[in-house]
Amino acid sequence: MDPKAICVLSVILVAALSTLAEGNPAPTRCQCKLGSRERQNCGYPGITAAECRTAGCCFDSSVPGVPWCFVPKEKKVRKVCPNNFHARVNCGFPGITAKECEQQGCCFRPYPPGFPWCFYHHTVEE
C-alpha cells in the first residue's frame, strides 16, 4: 500500500477514535428498544459494546443481520409547571399579568403570597 494512503487512513482512524473517546451520555434502556428494521447503524464493523456505548449508541448483538451498534431513539421530554412552591424560579416582575407571563413561555399561578406567580417550567423526561 502506498505510504500516502497509509498516512491518510491513519489520520482518519485517529480522528474516529478521538471522537469515540470524547464520549456521549449513555442512552437509556427505553431509547434502545428498537425493532430490527428501525436500527440505524452507529458504528463500524467489529466495534465493541464498550466503544459503541462510549459513542452514545445502543449495542445489541442478539439479532444477526442488523446493526448491533445503532442510534438510540430521541428522548421524549415535556414541560411541566412545578407544583412545589419552593421549586419556582421567578420568570416575571411584580404586577405581571397571566397573559404577559404566558407570552414569555412561563407558568402563571397567582398563589400563594410570598412565592413567584410567574415562573419557569421544569423539563421532565418521559
Side-chain angles (χ1 to χ4, degrees):
M1 189 179 251
D2 182 35
K4 288 181 184 178
I6 293 172
C7 184
V8 170
L9 289 175
S10 298
V11 169
I12 292 170
L13 180 62
V14 168
L17 290 175
S18 67
T19 301
L20 283 175
E22 290 173 11
N24 294 316
T28 63
R29 271 192 214 163
C30 292
Q31 288 180 274
C32 292
K33 288 186 180 179
L34 290 169
S36 57
R37 292 184 179 179
E38 297 175 285
R39 292 183 181 184
Q40 291 182 306
N41 196 4
C42 190
Y44 53 86
I47 192 170
T48 67
E51 290 170 327
C52 180
R53 290 187 184 108
T54 300
C57 300
C58 302
F59 188 88
D60 177 7
S61 60
S62 66
V63 184
V66 298
W68 291 357
C69 182
F70 53 95
V71 177
K73 287 188 227 178
E74 295 272 332
K75 285 186 178 182
K76 291 184 180 180
V77 295
R78 62 186 170 97
K79 292 181 177 181
V80 295
C81 296
N83 290 324
N84 180 352
F85 306 136
H86 299 283
R88 292 181 179 180
V89 177
N90 197 359
C91 180
F93 51 86
I96 192 169
T97 66
K99 185 176 179 180
E100 291 170 323
C101 179
E102 290 165 2
Q103 285 176 339
Q104 293 182 182
C106 296
C107 304
F108 186 83
R109 295 210 179 112
Y111 56 85
F115 291 93
W117 290 6
C118 181
F119 49 96
Y120 291 101
H121 292 95
H122 284 200
T123 303
V124 178
E125 288 184 22
E126 295 182 333

